[in-house]
Amino acid sequence: MTRTILDVHILQTVPPSNLNRDDTGTPKSAYFGGVRRARVSSQAWKRATRKAFNDLLPPEELGVRTKKVAEALAERIIARDESLEPVAVELAAKILKAATGSDITVPKRKGKNEDGSAAPESSYLMFLSRRQLDALAELAIAGSGPGKDVQALEEHLKNKENKARARAAIDARHSVDIALFGRMVADSADLNVEAAAQVAHALSVHKSDIESDYYTAVDDLNTDEETGAGMIGTIDFNSATLYRYAAVDVDELRRNLGVGLRKDEAPGTPVEKAVTAFLEAFITSLPTGKINTFGNHTLPSAVIVKVRDRRPVSFIGAFEKPVQKGKEGGFLEQSCRRLAAHVPELEKQYGLTKKDGNRGWVFRVGEDTKALADLGSEVTLEELLEEAGAEVARRLGFDA
């Protein structure tokens, strides 16, 4: 069965930084090829990608992942009917229970508001699209009846058909981020959403040591006679040229999103928009760990995007043997040479080029990356987004 898989390969150099730290504050690392590498977890980069969506997509196409889901839903109920404000949170909790099977209760250690009340929460992070929250708000208001009370809604939801409508409301019209990264509903496995995007842990292409920065801070109000620091401490950091990889199963993405969200949209529009948004967000995003301390704002030096029709393929094998620095220092040029040698050989031996229609793009910056020029059509970032989106639409049969 032919599939449509989008592979994204990135080389990005990051100066001294602590993008993603462990429980001791140390930059995460991993052993690969027998040496310690810098590592940024997939979760950290997925979070950065989701945050980047806020600048690329309208709010209604995104989701909310929170334990405070009752409060989020209550706000939508009040926006539709201000008279329901006194009972909005209770209505939200009741309909969420019916829709997800999850108890929405006040945590035992939850701090209370000024009036002594406390909002109920789910026991785990719940991921719902804004459209799904809007649909639940409408159902809650309708089910509360003329009296607009919680008991009426409770009686309303005892009807199997009404309860089924609540469950159906959060099993349709998924947001782009839910469709890409999936969703787990612990109490109702049938509401889980399979992730269309897989993001690998970013690894340095070379050995990377962890260093420590010893710092002091001076009290501004100290007099000249007062010596010593007001505060001292250390921050661990590393620097690296990272190989980043992600794959998008476009067919799964299409199933998650559906063929169209609005009547005025062409059938392939949601998928094409999601693919281009993911590409731009994943390529340009950066985890913000200790960003104010190190100011390590960099963008990738090289991006390779491949469209495949069988399975995703990572190129991390090119760096199993750690890259050594060049004669003048630096790892980027040698990393590009490694990829330029590894990719054609891998694709030739597995027949991938022939099977996948030889469709790929290369976006690169500077002379150090010129070895990658033959791995695909050279494009700018804008051209990459446009052409990849169009190719996805064509392969799904939406180009007519």
Side-chain angles (χ1 to χ4, degrees):
M1 179 179 174
T2 300
R3 303 169 65 191
T4 302
I5 305 291
L6 203 69
D7 278 339
V8 188
H9 313 268
I10 296 174
L11 288 175
Q12 182 167 356
T13 298
V14 183
S17 57
N18 191 337
L19 293 176
N20 182 212
R21 55 191 182 273
D22 63 19
D23 57 335
T24 68
T26 302
K28 290 184 178 180
S29 62
Y31 278 89
F32 180 65
V35 300
R36 193 181 197 184
R37 313 288 184 107
R39 176 175 68 92
V40 181
S41 73
S42 59
Q43 188 70 10
W45 230 299
K46 282 190 282 188
R47 168 70 174 167
T49 301
R50 282 187 57 226
K51 289 179 70 176
F53 284 155
N54 293 327
D55 297 321
L56 300 173
L57 294 168
E60 64 268 19
E61 293 188 17
L62 297 174
V64 179
R65 189 176 67 172
T66 179
K67 289 184 177 182
K68 301 176 182 178
V69 64
E71 292 182 71
L73 180 52
E75 289 177 3
R76 284 165 167 76
I77 292 172
I78 296 168
R80 287 163 172 77
D81 189 339
E82 291 184 359
S83 68
L84 288 172
E85 184 173 2
V87 294
V89 172
E90 291 181 80
L91 291 175
K94 292 295 182 184
I95 196 135
L96 283 166
K97 168 68 175 177
T100 68
S102 304
D103 286 321
I104 312 296
T105 58
V106 177
K108 293 180 179 179
R109 297 184 180 180
K110 177 72 175 178
K112 293 186 176 180
N113 300 325
E114 292 181 2
D115 61 358
S117 64
E121 295 182 356
S122 57
S123 59
Y124 52 88
L125 292 171
M126 198 170 286
F127 203 1
L128 298 176
S129 77
R130 286 172 170 82
R131 288 188 177 95
Q132 290 164 354
L133 287 171
D134 289 339
L136 287 177
E138 297 285 356
L139 291 174
I141 293 171
S144 65
K148 298 181 179 181
D149 59 61
V150 178
Q151 188 174 357
L153 177 61
E154 200 167 2
E155 289 297 319
H156 177 77
L157 292 172
K158 287 180 180 179
N159 181 289
K160 291 183 178 180
E161 290 184 3
N162 294 333
K163 186 175 181 180
R165 290 190 187 95
R167 290 179 68 81
I170 62 169
D171 199 25
R173 299 171 68 81
H174 297 305
S175 60
V176 169
D177 42 1
I178 290 176
L180 282 165
F181 299 124
R183 177 182 73 189
M184 185 189 76
V185 181
D187 300 291
S188 298
D190 58 314
L191 298 177
N192 291 349
V193 178
E194 188 73 23
Q198 298 175 350
V199 177
H201 291 243
L203 286 178
S204 65
V205 301
H206 52 82
K207 179 183 177 183
S208 179
D209 295 320
I210 295 174
E211 303 177 71
S212 293
D213 175 39
Y214 172 82
Y215 66 87
T216 64
V218 177
D219 190 322
D220 288 345
L221 297 183
N222 275 359
T223 63
D224 291 340
E225 290 75 24
E226 294 178 281
T227 60
M231 181 177 68
I232 60 174
T234 59
I235 298 177
D236 291 337
F237 66 92
N238 58 14
S239 59
T241 296
L242 299 170
Y243 170 74
R244 298 168 49 203
Y245 171 72
V248 179
D249 184 333
V250 181
D251 302 291
E252 188 68 43
L253 180 62
R254 179 189 182 185
R255 285 189 289 271
N256 289 347
L257 285 174
V259 291
L261 294 175
R262 297 195 306 265
K263 293 180 179 179
D264 60 339
E265 282 185 329
T269 300
V271 179
E272 189 173 344
K273 285 168 62 177
V275 165
T276 55
F278 175 79
L279 281 174
E280 184 170 1
F282 182 65
I283 290 169
T284 61
S285 63
L286 192 71
T288 55
K290 293 291 183 182
I291 197 77
N292 291 333
T293 300
F294 293 100
N296 47 274
H297 300 279
T298 66
L299 289 167
S301 298
V303 179
I304 303 168
V305 176
K306 297 271 189 177
V307 179
R308 304 195 180 281
D309 61 12
R310 293 185 67 194
R311 51 159 294 162
V313 179
S314 169
F315 296 150
I316 189 62
F319 309 114
E320 192 269 341
K321 182 179 180 181
V323 173
Q324 302 300 311
K325 66 181 179 181
K327 293 180 180 179
E328 298 179 2
F331 298 99
L332 181 60
E333 184 176 6
Q334 294 302 315
S335 300
C336 292
R337 291 180 184 275
R338 286 279 190 90
L339 276 179
H342 177 80
V343 175
E345 180 69 13
L346 178 72
E347 293 185 335
K348 175 185 175 183
Q349 294 299 329
Y350 283 93
L352 296 176
T353 300
K354 181 179 180 181
K355 291 185 176 72
D356 294 336
N358 196 28
R359 200 71 175 107
W361 302 268
V362 174
F363 165 59
R364 64 184 187 86
V365 179
E367 284 295 305
D368 286 347
T369 63
K370 63 182 179 181
L372 301 177
D374 294 333
L375 296 185
S377 303
E378 282 207 70
V379 291
T380 63
L381 178 59
E382 184 177 356
E383 291 168 340
L384 169 61
L385 300 177
E386 182 179 348
E387 293 186 24
E391 178 67 11
V392 162
R394 185 188 69 79
R395 294 198 179 212
L396 294 180
F398 292 139
D399 59 338

